[in-house]
């Protein structure tokens, strides 16, 4: 690095440090292929808008409790080193930086993040179950479906499929939890099977008193043989315990007997803890909370209704909301009216309003649409798990906003004296159960629209404060960058380089497919930085094989320590970034094997990297391989081919005039 460039980078580093809240606010520094990543003591002290105006900065956002500043490939290495030197702090590995970020969180934040990580893993299954349940509910209420053998059979199979997924949800949660906390996922499946064993009395039947429960005694302690259907919190707790035990026994048991003894001990100890401690504690806590909520609705008037509908969806997170069915049944027997049903219904639709509010704030974000739209549709049929675990809990403030909206809906339920004449159906189909007395149907619509609107509005209001810590501000809302991206100083042309570029000017450069798969535009990639072309025009291929090839004759300028990204300089002088997978920097090089080094010349079609895409996908990462035209010579542009299936070497783009 020459003196002039270093001086420029030192000025950039000084501005970044000042605008990030000063040296005392910076806890850690690292970089990936394109972004400088900072862990800050207090994210609110960082002026992200001003940082976006700093020389050579292409974008700024906060994600994963890191301040991420986009500089681009190559340049970010130098800026990171200069910044680290200026504050007398060593540049960290990304793994160490992530550890530092986790330590900065308070216990509640760490718990919420862990919970979010667990459910994101199994979200496709929850979404499938929710939408199948909604479809089953619609078909089940149509008379012509009942009268047609084929349609009735289809409806029945859909009902079985949706019920099975939710019925075995604790198994899925145990699996994902064990994986999240470092254990072998198969041990989570084992514990999930034990929780839902057919030898145990069904939990729902036991709660309603329709099934006999067998009680054993171990060292004088009673152990009830009741299953854990709906026991999400219990599944989370036993998943954590199982993961820790699995890691412990894998380290302590001698290798010669480890394969046999380690899983045996993990399963045995976890099972005893499940039935003796974790299960009873989880059930007791949930029963106490549930009883308290019902007491409030019966004794505290409008306040009780507001509290119940405000926090009812928090009970859904525990999976123990099913016990309300027994209470609703008793209400119908005693009074003929069920006031809990509309309270639960407005609590659900308020969370739907929060989902729509989050979507409105991120309408240009493809990932937000992918999560929010199906989640909201499932809420319309009374299934909130996809919205809770996929959106609201994950981003925190929508969950709070949904609870506030639910509380407002609860007050309106009290004021309108709304009740149901049955139970088990809510939101849109639930109107069929509304007591028609006192304009019941009209009131049902009014309270639901009000709760939906309240959840939506509260999300927008809370988002103004919370999104400083949680989301991409300008980029995620679709706003244009505050300034045109500057070209990195590291690639500023000297007179000699300009001459070289002039000589290469006449020939267009054909870019070939770098992996076999489905070719598409970069705007469809599930990463805002790439999709919004902050780093430049690009292309993407969903890979069908494990080798990545050079797309053009070039020289390797940079390879990342984490092996997932390589930058190339073409003969025509253009800079290309090959970035394999989305956020795969977090893998720290796992599943990647590089076959090139910096300064090496490669020919089009040379293998430059191998990636175990099956392994990458198993860790929950998108495997899309992206190619970014980060630095084009003056006057050149990229012309992309149409979307298509490609083989290695097929033309996907041309760099030319």
């Amino acid at each position: 690095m020459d003196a002039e460039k270093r001086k420029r980078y030192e000025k950039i580093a000084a501005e970044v440090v000042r605008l990030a809240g000063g040296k005392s606010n910076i806890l850690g520094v690292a970089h990936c292929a394109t972004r400088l990543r900072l862990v800050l003591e207090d994210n609110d002290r960082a002026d992200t808008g001003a940082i976006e105006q700093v020389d050579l900065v292409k974008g700024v956002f906060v994600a994963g409790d890191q301040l991420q500043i986009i500089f681009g490939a190559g340049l970010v290495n130098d800026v990171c080193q200069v910044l680290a030197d200026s504050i007398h702090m060593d540049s960290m590995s990304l793994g160490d930086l992530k550890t530092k970020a986790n330590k900065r969180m308070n216990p509640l934040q760490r718990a919420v993040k862990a919970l979010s990580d667990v459910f994101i893993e199994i979200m496709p299954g929850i979404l499938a179950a929710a939408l199948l349940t909604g479809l089953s509910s619609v078909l089940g209420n149509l008379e012509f479906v009942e009268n047609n053998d084929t349609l009735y059979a289809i409806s029945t199979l859909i009902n079985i499929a949706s019920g099975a997924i939710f019925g075995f949800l604790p198994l899925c949660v145990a699996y994902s939890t064990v994986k999240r906390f470092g254990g072998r996922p198969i041990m989570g499946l084992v514990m999930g099977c034990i929780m839902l064993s057919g030898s145990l009395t069904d939990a729902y039947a036991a709660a309603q008193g329709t099934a006999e429960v067998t009680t054993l005694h171990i060292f004088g302690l009673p152990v009830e043989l009741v299953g854990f259907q709906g026991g999400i919190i219990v599944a989370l707790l036993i998943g954590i315990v199982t993961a820790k035990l699995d890691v412990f026994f894998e380290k302590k048991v001698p290798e010669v007997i480890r394969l046999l003894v380690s899983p045996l001990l993990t399963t045995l100890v976890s099972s005893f803890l499940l039935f003796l401690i974790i299960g009873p504690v989880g059930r007791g806590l949930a029963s106490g909370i549930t009883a308290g909520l019902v007491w409030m609705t019966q004794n505290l008037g409008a306040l009780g209704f507001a509290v119940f509908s405000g926090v009812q969806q928090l009970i859904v997170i525990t999976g123990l909301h099913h016990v309300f069915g027994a209470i609703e049944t008793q209400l119908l027997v005693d009074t003929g009216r069920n006031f809990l049903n509309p309270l639960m219904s407005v609590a659900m639709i308020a969370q739907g309003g929060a989902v729509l509010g989050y979507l409105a704030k991120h309408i240009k974000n493809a990932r937000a649409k992918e999560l929010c739209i199906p989640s909201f549709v499932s809420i319309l049929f009374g299934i909130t798990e996809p919205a809770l675990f996929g959106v609201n809990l994950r981003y925190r403030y929508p969950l709070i906003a949904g609870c506030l909206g639910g509380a407002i809906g609860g007050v309106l339920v009290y004021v309108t004296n709304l009740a149901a004449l049955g139970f088990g159906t809510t939101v849109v189909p639930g109107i069929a159960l509304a007591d028609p007395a006192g304009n019941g149907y009209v009131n049902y619509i009014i309270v639901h629209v009000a709760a939906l609107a309240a959840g939506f509005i509260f999300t927008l209001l809370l988002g103004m404060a919370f999104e400083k810590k949680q989301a991409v501000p300008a980029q995620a809302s679709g706003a244009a960058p505050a300034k045109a991206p500057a070209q990195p100083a590291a690639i500023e042309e000297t007179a000699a380089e300009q001459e070289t570029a002039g000589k290469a000017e006449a020939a267009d450069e054909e870019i070939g497919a770098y992996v076999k798969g489905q070719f598409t535009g970069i705007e469809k990639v599930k990463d805002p930085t790439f999709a919004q072309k902050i780093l430049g025009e690009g292309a993407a291929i969903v890979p069908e094989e494990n080798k990545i090839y050079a797309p053009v004759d070039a020289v390797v300028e940079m390879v990342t320590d984490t092996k997932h990204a390589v930058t190339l300089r073409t003969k025509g002088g253009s800079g290309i970034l090959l970035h394999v997978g989305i956020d795969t920097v977090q893998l720290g090089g796992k599943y990647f094997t590089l076959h090139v080094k910096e300064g090496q010349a490669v020919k089009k079609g040379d293998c430059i990297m191998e990636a175990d895409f099956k392994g990458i996908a198993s860790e929950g990462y998108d495997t899309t391989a992206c190619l970014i035209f980060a630095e084009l010579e003056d006057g050149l542009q990229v012309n992309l081919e149409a979307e298509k299936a490609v083989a290695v070497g097929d033309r996907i783009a041309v760099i030319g005039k």
Side-chain angles (χ1 to χ4, degrees):
M1 187 190 310
D2 62 39
E4 186 177 347
K5 288 179 180 177
R6 184 171 186 87
K7 185 177 180 180
R8 187 177 185 184
Y9 297 162
E10 286 174 347
K11 183 178 179 181
I12 292 170
E15 283 292 286
V16 169
V17 170
R18 181 179 66 83
L19 295 171
K23 177 182 175 181
S24 62
N25 197 42
I26 299 177
L27 302 180
V29 181
H31 71 87
C32 59
T34 60
R35 308 169 195 180
L36 175 68
R37 297 171 179 242
L38 305 178
V39 173
L40 305 181
E41 179 71 35
D42 182 2
N43 287 341
D44 284 339
R45 288 169 61 185
D47 187 343
T48 55
I51 293 174
E52 201 167 50
Q53 305 300 318
V54 171
D55 184 25
L56 302 183
V57 170
K58 297 182 178 181
V60 182
F61 60 92
V62 176
D65 290 294
Q66 299 173 15
L67 177 67
Q68 301 189 19
I69 307 172
I70 304 168
F71 282 100
L75 175 63
V76 70
N77 303 53
D78 293 335
V79 172
C80 180
Q81 188 56 56
V82 170
L83 187 146
D85 291 344
S86 71
I87 60 175
H88 307 293
M89 180 182 291
D90 291 334
S91 179
M92 297 177 169
S93 70
L94 285 165
D96 290 341
L97 192 77
K98 188 174 181 180
T99 300
K100 177 72 75 173
N102 288 337
K103 287 181 179 178
R104 192 186 67 83
M105 298 181 188
N106 61 44
L108 178 61
Q109 289 173 322
R110 286 198 292 269
V112 170
K113 186 179 187 304
L115 192 63
S116 174
D117 291 343
V118 167
F119 283 97
I120 286 299
E121 174 80 9
I122 58 177
M123 187 50 57
I126 297 177
L127 278 171
L131 296 178
L132 285 172
T133 299
L135 182 59
S136 174
S137 176
V138 171
L139 293 176
N141 290 323
L142 299 176
E143 186 175 346
F144 71 86
V145 173
E146 293 272 346
N147 297 331
N148 184 287
D149 290 343
T150 299
L151 293 177
Y152 178 76
I154 292 173
S155 176
T156 301
L157 291 176
I158 291 174
N159 186 53
I160 291 172
S162 62
I165 298 172
F166 275 122
F168 285 90
L169 188 57
L171 183 149
C172 299
V173 172
Y175 156 82
S176 186
T177 305
V178 171
K179 181 178 178 181
R180 164 64 177 77
F181 286 92
R184 288 171 292 180
I186 185 61
M187 301 309 298
L189 292 177
V190 169
M191 292 310 302
C193 291
I194 293 171
M195 291 176 65
L196 303 174
S197 170
S199 300
L200 303 173
T201 303
D202 181 89
Y204 302 145
Q208 295 178 15
T210 59
E212 184 177 347
V213 177
T214 301
T215 302
L216 303 179
H217 292 83
I218 300 178
F219 303 120
L221 297 173
V223 177
E224 293 185 340
L225 299 184
V226 179
F228 295 91
Q229 288 81 8
I232 304 302
I233 292 298
V234 175
L236 282 165
L237 294 175
I238 197 61
I240 295 171
V241 169
T242 301
K244 300 302 181 183
L245 288 172
D246 187 41
V247 172
F248 175 80
F249 288 125
E250 280 291 292
K251 289 181 178 179
K252 299 299 182 181
V253 175
E255 187 175 355
V256 67
I257 58 172
R258 184 179 299 156
L259 182 62
L260 177 66
V261 175
S262 174
L264 169 66
L265 292 175
T266 298
T267 304
L268 186 62
V269 176
S270 297
S271 297
F272 272 85
L273 292 174
L274 172 66
F275 287 103
L276 288 173
I277 300 175
I278 294 174
V281 169
R283 285 179 174 141
L285 180 63
S287 297
I289 293 173
T290 302
L293 288 174
V294 173
W295 180 87
M296 284 190 295
T297 58
Q298 295 175 329
N299 295 276
L300 299 181
L303 176 61
F305 274 55
V307 172
F308 182 94
S309 56
V311 304
Q312 189 268 342
Q313 284 297 293
L314 301 181
I315 302 299
V316 173
I317 294 174
T318 71
L320 291 160
H321 54 295
H322 299 283
V323 298
F324 289 128
I327 302 170
E328 290 179 280
T329 302
Q330 192 62 49
L331 282 173
L332 289 168
V333 171
D334 293 343
T335 67
R337 301 176 85 241
N338 172 16
F339 64 86
L340 290 184
N341 181 269
L343 284 178
M344 291 187 285
S345 191
V346 294
M348 293 175 182
I349 199 64
Q351 294 295 332
V355 169
L356 292 182
Y358 183 83
L359 178 60
K361 291 183 68 64
H362 302 81
I363 194 64
K364 297 295 184 180
N365 190 311
R367 178 62 173 163
K369 292 179 182 177
E370 182 182 341
L371 283 173
C372 292
I373 293 174
S375 295
F376 178 73
V377 171
S378 69
I379 283 179
L380 296 178
F381 297 102
I383 306 296
T384 55
E385 283 85 350
L388 288 174
F389 298 124
V391 181
N392 295 357
L393 177 62
R394 184 181 184 187
Y395 299 108
R396 305 178 199 176
Y397 72 85
L399 179 65
I400 298 171
C403 290
L404 292 174
I408 289 177
V411 171
L412 293 176
V413 169
Y414 178 82
V415 170
T416 59
N417 194 30
L418 184 63
L421 300 178
F423 71 96
T425 303
T426 49
V427 196
V428 173
I431 193 171
L433 300 180
D435 185 351
N439 296 316
Y441 294 133
V442 174
N443 290 335
Y444 188 92
I445 294 172
I446 290 173
V447 299
H448 280 75
V449 170
L452 176 75
F456 181 88
I457 293 170
F458 278 123
T459 300
L460 296 181
L461 294 176
L462 291 178
M464 294 178 186
F466 277 75
E467 289 223 324
K468 290 181 180 179
K469 296 183 177 181
Q470 294 299 314
V472 181
Q475 292 93 331
S477 63
K483 60 171 185 170
Q487 290 297 322
I491 60 150
E492 287 181 337
E493 294 179 338
T494 64
E497 288 170 333
Q498 289 175 355
E499 278 185 33
T500 302
K503 292 176 183 177
E505 184 179 313
D508 290 346
E509 291 188 302
E510 184 176 295
I511 307 300
Y514 43 93
V515 65
K516 179 183 178 182
Q518 185 63 41
F519 167 69
T520 186
I522 196 68
E523 64 275 0
K524 295 188 177 180
V525 171
K526 298 173 184 176
D527 181 290
T529 301
F530 293 157
Q532 295 174 28
K533 304 180 182 179
I534 294 172
L535 294 173
E537 182 62 83
I541 298 177
V542 179
E544 296 177 3
E545 61 181 18
N546 288 341
K547 292 185 178 181
I548 303 295
Y549 299 88
V552 66
D553 293 351
V555 173
V556 178
E557 281 202 333
M558 185 271 292
V559 295
T560 61
D561 294 338
T562 47
K563 305 176 184 178
H564 73 293
V566 174
T567 58
L568 306 173
R569 180 71 58 182
T570 72
K571 288 185 175 181
S574 297
I576 293 176
L577 167 66
L578 269 175
H579 191 288
V580 181
I582 303 301
D583 209 29
T584 44
V585 64
Q586 305 292 348
L587 293 172
K590 186 179 180 182
Y591 303 118
F592 292 97
T593 303
L594 279 175
H595 296 302
V596 294
K597 59 184 179 181
E598 292 179 4
Q600 179 178 337
V602 293
K603 293 288 186 181
K604 181 178 179 180
D606 287 349
C607 180
I608 60 177
M609 178 194 302
E610 290 186 58
D612 179 1
F613 287 116
K614 184 175 181 181
I616 293 169
S618 72
E619 298 273 3
Y621 292 93
D622 189 322
T623 60
T624 304
C626 304
L627 185 152
I628 309 298
F629 299 94
E631 302 164 11
L632 295 177
E633 289 294 290
D634 288 343
L636 297 183
Q637 63 182 15
V638 178
N639 297 303
L640 296 175
E641 297 286 310
E643 294 185 2
K644 59 183 177 181
V646 293
V648 174
D650 288 353
R651 187 170 74 176
I652 60 172
V654 173
I655 301 176
K657 290 288 187 181

